[in-house]
Amino acid sequence: MTRYRRELDLLVAVYLTVIVFAILYPYSFFSLGNLRAILNNLAVDGILAVGMMMLMIAGMFDLSVGSMMSLAGVVTGWLLAKSGWPVGAAVAAGLGVAALGGLVNGLLVARARVNALIATLGTLGIFQGIAILIAGPSIANLPESFARLGQTELLNLQFPVFFMLGLAVIFHVLLTHSRFFRQYYYVGSNPKAARLSAMNVERLQILGFTLMGLIAGLAGLCFAARVGTSVSNAGVGAELRVITAVILGGASLTGGKGSIPGALIGVVFMALVNNALIIARVSSYWQGIMVGLILVLAVALDSYRSREKPT
Amino acid sequence: MTPENLTPTRRDLIALGAGLAGGAALTRYAGLEGGRAAGGIGAGRTRTGREEYVWLSANRTLPLFVANDHPALEIAGQELGVRVTIAGPDTVDIPGLVAAIEQTAARRPTGMMVVGWEAHALIPAINKAVDAGIPVICVDGDVPGSKRAAFVGTNWYDIGVKQAEAMLAALGGRRGKVALLGLIDQAIDQQAFDGFRSVALKAGLTVMEPQHDKGNQAEATRVAAAILQAHGDLVGMAGFDSESGPGMGQAIKEASLAGRVVATCVEAEAQHVRLLKEGVLTACVRQKRALFTYLGAKVLDELAFPRVSFTADDKALGIHPVAEMYYTGSFLVTRENAHIAAKG
């Protein structure tokens, strides 16, 4: 169980948050409507967090996920609304563009040896710019058949929630049971040793970024379908929200640590805290301070406990 | 005919012509840095054909800017026969905007229009540019207390007033709590909140503390969803940045509260219009955004090449040949007039 210590700690924090706010605000916080709204609203971040956790386990991160998400949404929207493509083809094209963007990031980092921070900071601007050039502010009135992907409900929850859960299960299984994907832990812990062990680190990095692109594309399509509009700045700021949640969920900036359940619990915890602070009528200024404090405290506590652990 | 076929005499003529053309071009270029004529009607610096007006903003590629402000700037540039350029950081990066203002001023364009994102932080950079002799105005967001010659933009207090009036009309006799969403740290949003309160409080509505939606639709949806759950007696929601309306509309729709919660916002892009038509949003106050840069360029041109004067030496007395405030106005877009009053 120590392997999932951070995840369990966070799960306890989630549980306590729910209990405390359910007692304080039984009708507004602990209502089915609110819990449903929280889940529907965290799905996009949750999808992104799955990919980001995989990258961070491998010791990398991607700042361009938000703009990649926007780009995939507007490419799909443009093909649907302006070119009359069928939904399947437009969705495939949107996902393809996002995967291509991820591949570019991977090649920049693994082959051209550009630092991931610089490479993805650069592509963040490029993808965002292209999205705005294609769509202007937005492309509205997307076909109903496409919107259904984001608006159809099952058990009172929208489809993106299930996409998130499905993706999380797939990547959890891959990262824990697949020999190939488990290499990400070794690459993240010690890339030099991984290379000496005959692991193809570059190929793993390129694949990691490409999958991240694909996942960001899925997040972009979910958001566009949910609101029936391709918004060209839909993903602005998503990267920092997601990295924050993933770090809370057990990832480390130096790599080699973390799990997919941790990423999801991190996203859920952040969403719960943000929701609870609004319901508790905490000023917007204080909300930012409190979320920042929680992140710093969680990471500091984890770091302290790691030092305490006997070797 | 190739150059080899030309006689020396004809070559000399061509060389002479080229020399004259080059000389004329150099003269025009020299005119760029040329002095100003004496005061009086029609006085000002000589036009060189190389005039450049620069629009500077943080978040310069904000879709709203790209869709409205930038095209209008191009139109004004074509009409005036000047080059228009866009500068500034792609994010809400105020130090980046300050640096862009200073770097732009260093190359001495004919005029600069600055979007006053963060009034106090921009004062020194704007004043420095004005002291260097560059006409500077503010558009969209003002920088009061700076030496800018004029402001062209919306009166945000009025935007708040208009939203409150539209909300009261839709509420009829109903009263209760109203939530406000926007970029709460921006001065223009704070002016709008004040305008909203000035009407709503008198009418008996309870106006809650504004919530930050970070100018992001997904965030606006999240925040609005939480507010709707927290306040069962909520009767209205007003949004003050371009993403507030679609965000809170989405939350209202998903909570099945369309019609029960009256929602008003700013801007009327395609997504707003869809929500208006669905009856989720009640009214959108649309700014005349295109006028910011269109009029802005013309005001800069008037400052650079004054057509009128008031004294023997306006410049010495710090008198500008333009008005100080150009409020461009706004209008209400509703379900009834959306097909003609909105874009998209």
Side-chain angles (χ1 to χ4, degrees):
Chain A
M1 284 311 250
T2 51
R3 185 177 155 198
Y4 290 111
R5 197 192 64 208
R6 172 74 83 86
E7 288 83 343
L8 289 172
D9 287 350
L10 198 58
L11 209 54
V12 170
V14 167
Y15 182 72
L16 288 176
T17 307
V18 172
I19 295 292
V20 168
F21 281 90
I23 293 167
L24 292 174
Y25 304 98
Y27 301 110
S28 47
F29 179 78
F30 201 60
S31 68
L32 212 58
N34 191 43
L35 298 177
R36 181 178 155 239
I38 290 173
L39 281 172
N40 284 337
N41 280 302
L42 64 74
V44 165
D45 282 359
I47 290 170
L48 289 172
V50 170
M52 191 66 82
M53 178 57 96
M54 179 192 61
L55 272 187
M56 292 189 78
I57 286 170
M60 303 172 289
F61 58 89
D62 185 347
L63 293 180
S64 70
V65 291
S67 50
M68 191 114 66
M69 172 186 150
S70 308
L71 182 61
V74 302
V75 166
T76 306
W78 191 86
L79 292 172
L80 286 168
K82 311 276 180 188
S83 300
W85 280 34
V87 172
V91 165
L95 291 174
V97 165
L100 189 67
L103 177 66
V104 170
N105 281 338
L107 291 172
L108 284 171
V109 173
R111 290 281 155 81
R113 309 255 178 218
V114 181
N115 179 285
L117 175 89
I118 308 297
T120 59
L121 195 60
T123 51
L124 178 154
I126 294 168
F127 299 148
Q128 189 61 57
I130 297 171
I132 293 168
L133 282 175
I134 294 172
S138 61
I139 300 170
N141 304 319
L142 299 181
E144 201 53 42
S145 49
F146 172 70
R148 272 201 289 272
L149 291 174
Q151 295 173 7
T152 305
E153 292 192 349
L154 193 66
L155 303 172
N156 264 336
L157 294 170
Q158 292 172 332
F159 265 12
V161 176
F162 298 98
F163 290 143
M164 173 188 77
L165 293 173
L167 200 69
V169 169
I170 292 168
F171 275 84
H172 176 66
V173 170
L174 287 175
L175 284 167
T176 51
H177 291 87
S178 146
R179 198 173 158 188
F180 180 81
F181 278 90
R182 280 183 62 79
Q183 292 180 104
Y184 280 119
Y185 282 98
Y186 301 112
V187 170
S189 301
N190 192 337
K192 267 188 189 170
R195 272 193 195 91
L196 290 171
S197 312
M199 286 180 196
N200 191 335
V201 174
E202 282 74 29
R203 194 177 65 174
L204 283 163
Q205 287 177 331
I206 292 169
L207 178 69
F209 276 105
T210 308
L211 286 172
M212 180 72 253
L214 193 64
I215 290 169
L218 176 67
L221 296 187
C222 284
F223 185 76
R226 183 180 172 214
V227 300
T229 303
S230 298
V231 184
S232 55
N233 66 353
V236 169
E239 56 282 342
L240 291 183
R241 277 200 315 273
V242 169
I243 289 174
T244 304
V246 166
I247 288 177
L248 261 180
S252 156
L253 283 174
T254 52
K257 283 171 70 179
S259 70
I260 298 297
L264 286 198
I265 300 169
V267 170
V268 169
F269 182 66
M270 293 290 291
L272 276 176
V273 168
N274 281 318
N275 178 271
L277 291 175
I278 292 171
I279 284 181
R281 294 161 210 192
V282 174
S283 148
S284 277
Y285 297 108
W286 278 101
Q287 289 172 26
I289 293 172
M290 291 178 82
V291 170
L293 276 175
I294 288 167
L295 176 70
V296 171
L297 281 175
V299 176
L301 185 68
D302 190 62
S303 166
Y304 175 76
R305 285 174 61 174
S306 299
R307 281 202 305 271
E308 291 274 293
K309 198 171 73 175
T311 52
Chain B
M1 192 182 285
T2 62
E4 287 75 21
N5 299 55
L6 298 174
T7 63
T9 318
R10 288 170 77 186
R11 265 189 214 154
D12 287 347
L13 280 172
I14 290 170
L16 180 66
L20 283 172
L26 277 175
T27 311
R28 282 169 71 86
Y29 181 76
L32 183 67
E33 310 281 278
R36 290 160 189 270
I41 291 173
R45 75 168 90 170
T46 315
R47 286 191 187 269
T48 64
R50 295 177 66 91
E51 284 78 25
E52 180 191 14
Y53 297 138
V54 186
W55 176 89
L56 291 122
S57 176
N59 214 354
R60 68 174 171 168
T61 51
L62 185 75
L64 204 64
F65 291 154
V66 175
N68 299 284
D69 305 38
H70 297 178
L73 181 65
E74 286 296 329
I75 293 170
Q78 282 165 16
E79 280 183 16
L80 294 167
V82 299
R83 191 152 76 100
V84 289
T85 46
I86 287 160
D90 286 332
T91 54
V92 186
D93 169 10
I94 304 305
L97 178 57
V98 170
I101 295 170
E102 288 179 350
Q103 284 161 16
T104 303
R107 62 182 178 81
R108 300 185 62 78
T110 321
M112 293 163 55
M113 58 180 106
V114 177
V115 178
W117 277 89
E118 173 51 66
H120 294 295
L122 301 181
I123 291 175
I126 288 175
N127 287 354
K128 211 166 133 189
V130 173
D131 291 343
I134 302 164
V136 180
I137 62 165
C138 288
V139 292
D140 199 356
D142 197 8
V143 182
S146 71
K147 293 180 183 174
R148 58 102 180 104
F151 168 68
V152 183
T154 303
N155 181 335
W156 277 84
Y157 189 90
D158 281 353
I159 291 265
V161 169
K162 271 193 176 144
Q163 283 209 46
E165 286 171 350
M167 186 173 285
L168 285 167
L171 283 171
R174 283 170 66 208
R175 291 295 179 266
K177 284 183 190 164
V178 178
L180 307 182
L181 264 76
L183 291 162
I184 60 168
D185 48 359
Q186 294 295 315
I188 54 173
D189 285 45
Q190 287 164 6
Q191 289 160 19
F193 298 149
D194 287 343
F196 188 94
R197 288 189 196 102
S198 73
V199 175
L201 292 174
K202 272 188 211 155
L205 290 172
T206 306
V207 182
M208 290 158 54
E209 192 186 348
Q211 289 287 337
H212 203 359
D213 66 17
K214 298 175 186 165
N216 178 283
Q217 192 177 325
E219 184 69 16
T221 308
R222 268 191 289 275
V223 172
I227 293 171
L228 289 170
Q229 295 302 327
H231 305 278
D233 51 349
L234 196 80
V235 294
M237 217 178 233
F240 292 90
D241 66 64
S242 59
E243 304 306 313
S244 309
M248 60 196 209
Q250 184 71 19
I252 289 170
K253 204 164 115 177
E254 288 178 358
S256 304
L257 288 170
R260 276 178 57 198
V261 173
V262 173
T264 62
C265 64
V266 287
E267 306 307 346
E269 299 294 326
Q271 210 178 351
H272 301 75
V273 172
R274 186 169 55 79
L275 291 164
L276 274 175
K277 286 178 180 165
E278 289 173 5
V280 178
L281 294 179
T282 307
C284 302
V285 181
R286 190 170 158 209
Q287 300 181 81
K288 296 177 184 170
R289 291 202 66 89
L291 281 180
F292 301 169
T293 46
Y294 181 79
L295 266 186
K298 300 211 164 177
V299 170
L300 277 180
D301 202 62
E302 199 63 45
L303 284 165
F305 306 102
R307 279 91 165 166
V308 292
S309 66
F310 306 96
T311 67
D313 192 348
D314 286 355
K315 196 183 167 198
L317 295 172
I319 299 168
H320 300 299
V322 295
E324 196 181 336
M325 288 287 179
Y326 292 84
Y327 284 138
T328 48
S330 60
F331 53 94
L332 215 58
V333 183
T334 60
R335 195 176 182 176
E336 287 70 36
N337 70 7
H339 61 292
I340 47 171
K343 260 189 170 180

